[in-house]
Amino acid sequence: MIYCAGKIESFSFAKSIGVGLIESTINLTRSILYDKPEEIIFIGTCGAYTDSIPLLEVFETQSAANIELSFLQRKSYTPLDNFLTNVSCETIIKDSIDILPRQQNIVNSSNYITTDSTFAKQFLNLGITYENMEFFSILQVAKAFKLPALGIFCVTNYIHPNAQKQFLANHKMAMEKLKSYIYAKQKI
């Protein structure tokens, strides 16, 4: 089943589950209980921590992290697993950000959007390339229900002080690119 955040990121072929980590967790869990999907495909936009990635690029991933900015500042810690990869039905959990695999397409999720390019560099040093508010919770719920999960994203902006302005300028085109990608992939 295809899911999206909703509000300004809604698609006719996707079920909206809410914005941010909390709304998406609650509503995806509810959907799994009632709709009984065999797989989860989450579609949405994201920011990139580096400008070496082309704007409006579409990519797929099965990896997410949940790193808050205070963690990067060494002002907080967590006893929780903060990195997930969903491969088929087997979710691989890493219990420390220090052992993240150095791979492409890891999406960080937080209820806050980063606008400081200094933090963007720190995320890149950890092997994290993108930012989307919901994806970590999507993988966490998929893990709980032992469902395969995939994220499909389109890059709307880079992480800098004007990230929101850049996001808004590119959002409509990103939505069209995501629709086209899904139609081609799923033949909806």
Side-chain angles (χ1 to χ4, degrees):
M1 185 169 210
I2 301 174
Y3 294 93
C4 62
K7 297 191 181 177
I8 67 168
E9 287 195 17
S10 295
F11 301 89
S12 62
F13 52 81
K15 183 172 188 125
S16 296
I17 56 172
V19 175
L21 295 168
I22 307 305
E23 286 181 7
S24 61
T25 299
I26 293 167
N27 294 319
L28 179 58
T29 300
R30 183 179 292 132
S31 174
I32 289 170
L33 293 173
Y34 292 110
D35 301 323
K36 310 227 184 288
E38 293 179 17
E39 68 179 356
I40 296 168
I41 299 171
F42 182 76
I43 181 172
T45 61
C46 68
Y49 292 125
T50 176
D51 60 6
S52 67
I53 295 169
L55 287 175
L56 302 173
E57 176 180 81
V58 175
F59 68 95
E60 296 183 7
T61 187
Q62 294 178 296
S63 300
N66 176 221
I67 308 298
E68 299 295 337
L69 297 181
S70 62
F71 182 87
L72 297 177
Q73 297 170 314
R74 300 190 187 282
K75 294 183 179 183
S76 66
Y77 71 93
T78 182
L80 303 174
D81 296 323
N82 54 10
F83 174 75
L84 293 171
T85 293
N86 183 293
V87 182
S88 298
C89 251
E90 300 172 22
T91 302
I92 302 162
I93 305 168
K94 302 291 183 189
D95 55 3
S96 170
I97 193 65
D98 297 329
I99 57 172
L100 278 176
R102 298 297 176 185
Q103 63 183 40
Q104 291 282 326
N105 300 346
I106 299 173
V107 176
N108 190 58
S109 296
S110 170
N111 282 324
Y112 295 89
I113 297 166
T114 309
T115 58
D116 186 319
S117 55
T118 303
F119 287 122
K121 289 175 188 165
Q122 290 178 316
F123 280 113
L124 285 171
N125 288 337
L126 292 173
I128 302 169
T129 313
Y130 303 98
E131 182 170 275
N132 168 273
M133 292 178 69
E134 298 81 25
F135 194 53
F136 184 82
S137 66
I138 304 305
L139 292 185
Q140 193 77 313
V141 173
K143 174 186 155 242
F145 287 95
K146 296 180 172 68
L147 290 169
L150 174 71
I152 301 172
F153 298 97
C154 185
V155 179
T156 54
N157 58 278
Y158 301 121
I159 304 306
H160 55 70
N162 292 315
Q164 184 180 25
K165 185 176 179 181
Q166 191 176 37
F167 163 78
L168 293 170
N170 290 316
H171 188 260
K172 185 176 178 179
M173 179 59 77
M175 295 293 287
E176 291 302 317
K177 284 188 153 280
L178 286 167
K179 272 191 238 179
S180 296
Y181 188 88
I182 291 293
Y183 285 144
K185 188 171 183 70
Q186 302 290 322
K187 297 184 172 67
I188 295 176

